[in-house]
DNA sequence: CTCGGTTTGTTCTCGCGTTCACAAACTCCT
DNA sequence: AGGAGTTTGTGAACGCGAGAACAAACCGAG
C-alpha cells in the first residue's frame, strides 16, 4: 500500500493527488456531461457545466484542474472529451463487477437499478443467507446462498461489495467480504462497520439523512414559533 | 463554557450555531446510544461511545459540547439522558410526517423500511403518477395519485418529502413539493434539483457512491502501474 | 477533609476546502 | 495583423473542521 514514492509519472497527464472533496464531485460532473452530450451539446463553458452540476463555477474549474488542462481558454470544454477524461480518472471506462448481499426490499431495488450498467458497474451476483429467497430471480439474476460469495468473488475478481442486509448481519457480511478479497464496501445497513484500514467503506443511511433534514426543519419552524409538533418539550430534567 | 444561564432555557437559544459537520454526526451518536441503551448500559465514557460510533473521542466530546454540558467529569455520560438530549436537539422526540413520491422498487423499499417510525418519522402517504400503481397497498398504506400531494401535505402539515422517482420526473415533483409548502427534500433520483434557497435538499445517489469507491479501488489495484483500464499495452501487473 | 485517579470540556494549532480575483490564452471581427 | 471580448487555470486569502493537549471537575478511598 506504500506507493508514496512510487507515484511514477507513467501516465502523462493524470494528476496524482486529487483531494477527496473533488473526487466526490467528479461523478456529478460526469453525469452532467452525459446529459449534455445526450442533448447534443458539443462544448460547454465552466459556468454552464457548473449550473448543470449544481456547484460554483470556480470550484468546478479548480476541480477539473486537478485532472489536467482539458479545456480551451476563450472556448470552454469539449463535452465528449471531458466526459471521457473524467470517466477514465474515476475508473469507469469499463465495468466493475459488483456483488449485492441481502436481497430484501432494498436489495431488490438495487438489483433492478438500471443505472448500474450504464455507469460503470455490473451486478455479477445476488446473495442472501435466507434459503427461502434462493428460488427467486431478481432482475434476471439468480439469488444464491451467501456461502457462494467466496467462489463468485474469486471467479469474477470482485473488488466491490454492496451490503443491503439488516443491521445485525452487516458486520458478519463485511468480515466475509474482506476475507474474500473485497476492498471496497457500500453499506446500506444502519450500523458502523469495523474493517481493516485498507478497505474503503461508504455508508448510505436513510434515517441519518432524514434526521439531518429534521434538524434544519426544526430550526426553520422554530424561527417564528416553537410548535407544529407539540408543546411538551420543556427541559425535562431526568436524573 | 459555562453558559448555564442560557442552557436552562427551552428551545429559543439552547444551542445556536452547531457546525454542519457536527449535525451530520449527531444521528450516528444517537443510534449508538440507542444500541447501548438496549444492551443495558447505563453510562458510558466518550471513548466507549466514540468507538461505538466509529469516530475519534476528542471529536465526539467537541461535538457534544456544542449541545451543552451533559456529561459528568470523571464519570462519563448517562446513556438515556444523553440520548434524549440528542434526540431533542435533532428534533426527533416526536414523529415528523413524511410523504414518499415514486413507488417503484426503491419507493417500496423505503416504505417498508422499519427504521422510519422508530427513528422519528411517520410515512403519511405514498404517491405515484402512474395510475397502474394506484390499486396497490405497500407497507399497509394505499398508493395514491400524485395529485393528492397538496391535500395530504396540507392536512398533515408535511414538511419533509422523499423523491424516489426516475430522474426525469424528479424536478417536477420537487417543484410541486415546494409549492405545497414542503421545505426539506430527500432526493434519491440521480439528478440535480433546482429549489429555492430556503428549501433543504439532501441527495442519496447509489452510482455516485459506487463511483467514488471505484476511484479509490482503481488507485489500489494500480498501485504500481497506471492504466490497467485502457492500457493493455503496458504489462498488467496485478500484484 | 484530602489526595489520587479518571473523564469531561475547551483551547490551540494545523491542514483542507472554498472562494475571489486576475493573468494567460484563445477566438472572432475588422 | 491587431485588438476586443471570452474563458480557463491558478495563486492567495479566508473560514471551517480535525486532532492534540491540558485544565477543571468529579468520585472514591483513607
Amino acid at each position: 500500500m506504500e506507493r508514496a514514492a512510487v507515484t511514477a509519472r507513467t501516465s502523462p497527464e493524470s494528476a496524482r493527488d486529487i483531494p477527496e472533496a473533488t473526487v466526490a464531485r467528479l461523478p456529478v460532473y460526469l453525469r452532467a456531461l452525459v446529459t449534455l452530450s445526450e442533448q447534443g451539446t458539443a462544448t460547454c463553458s465552466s459556468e454552464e457545466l457548473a449550473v448543470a452540476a449544481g456547484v460554483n463555477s470556480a470550484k468546478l474549474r479548480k476541480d477539473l484542474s486537478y485532472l489536467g488542462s482539458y479545456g480551451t481558454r476563450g472556448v470552454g470544454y469539449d463535452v465528449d472529451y471531458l466526459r471521457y477524461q473524467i470517466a477514465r480518472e474515476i475508473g469507469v471506462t469499463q465495468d466493475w463487477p459488483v456483488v449485492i448481499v441481502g436481497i430484501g426490499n432494498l436489495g431488490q431495488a438495487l438489483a433492478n437499478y438500471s443505472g448500474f450498467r450504464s455507469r460503470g458497474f455490473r451486478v455479477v451476483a445476488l446473495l442472501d443467507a435466507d434459503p427461502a429467497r434462493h428460488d427467486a430471480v431478481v432482475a434476471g439474476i439468480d439469488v444464491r446462498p451467501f456461502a457462494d460469495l467466496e467462489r463468485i468473488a474469486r471467479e469474477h475478481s470482485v473488488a466491490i461489495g454492496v451490503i443491503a442486509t439488516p443491521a445485525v448481519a452487516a458486520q458478519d457480511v463485511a468480515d466475509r467480504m474482506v476475507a474474500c478479497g473485497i476492498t471496497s464496501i457500500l453499506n446500506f445497513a444502519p450500523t458502523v462497520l469495523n474493517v481493516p484500514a485498507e478497505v474503503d467503506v461508504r455508508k448510505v443511511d436513510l434515517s441519518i439523512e432524514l434526521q439531518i433534514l429534521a434538524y434544519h426543519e426544526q430550526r426553520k419552524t422554530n424561527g417564528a414559533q416553537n410548535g407544529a409538533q407539540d408543546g411538551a418539550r420543556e427541559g425535562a430534567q431526568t436524573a
Side-chain angles (χ1 to χ4, degrees), chain A:
Chain A
M1 311 309 164
E2 56 284 5
R3 58 193 183 279
V6 199
T7 56
R9 204 164 289 278
T10 55
S11 182
E13 300 292 333
S14 300
R16 291 288 71 89
D17 19 339
I18 298 182
E20 192 56 36
T22 296
V23 171
R25 283 188 293 265
L26 289 181
V28 181
Y29 304 154
L30 179 57
R31 172 169 299 154
L33 286 166
V34 170
T35 301
L36 286 175
S37 181
E38 288 172 351
Q39 291 171 353
T41 308
T43 66
C44 67
S45 67
S46 65
E47 183 60 33
E48 290 174 85
L49 184 54
V51 169
V55 301
N56 181 303
S57 68
K59 195 192 310 194
L60 170 69
R61 287 199 301 276
K62 177 151 283 212
D63 284 340
L64 295 184
S65 75
Y66 290 114
L67 312 189
S69 288
Y70 294 137
T72 305
R73 298 179 192 220
V75 177
Y77 300 93
D78 182 288
V79 170
D80 288 331
Y81 180 58
L82 182 59
R83 168 185 170 179
Y84 172 77
Q85 293 299 336
I86 293 180
R88 187 175 58 82
E89 191 68 39
I90 296 176
V92 290
T93 45
Q94 87 296 319
D95 287 350
W96 290 87
V98 170
V99 295
I100 301 176
V101 178
I103 314 301
N105 281 303
L106 179 59
Q108 292 181 38
L110 297 177
N112 280 297
Y113 177 49
S114 59
F116 260 120
R117 187 167 283 102
S118 67
R119 296 199 175 89
F121 303 93
R122 187 177 76 252
V123 179
V124 297
L126 305 178
L127 306 179
D128 201 297
D130 183 358
R133 290 207 235 265
H134 293 166
D135 291 336
V137 175
V138 176
I141 303 172
D142 281 345
V143 177
R144 302 286 308 165
F146 180 52
D148 286 11
L149 175 63
E150 188 180 355
R151 176 180 59 78
I152 290 167
R154 191 176 55 241
E155 287 179 2
H156 293 86
S157 298
V158 177
I160 301 177
V162 176
I163 298 178
T165 67
V168 289
Q171 183 63 57
D172 286 340
V173 171
D175 292 342
R176 291 286 296 273
M177 282 182 170
V178 171
C180 293
I182 287 176
T183 47
S184 291
I185 295 175
L186 182 55
N187 179 32
F188 286 86
T191 188
V192 175
L193 290 185
N194 212 340
V195 298
E198 70 270 17
V199 177
D200 276 323
V201 174
R202 294 191 68 86
K203 73 170 190 292
V204 173
D205 194 311
L206 168 65
S207 59
I208 286 182
E209 299 298 325
L210 280 175
Q211 288 180 350
I212 295 171
L213 286 176
Y215 171 84
H216 294 294
E217 193 60 45
Q218 186 186 34
R219 289 297 166 101
K220 290 180 201 168
T221 54
N222 283 0
Q225 212 273 331
N226 180 13
Q229 303 295 319
D230 63 12
R233 199 171 339 193
E234 311 303 341
Q237 310 285 15
T238 64

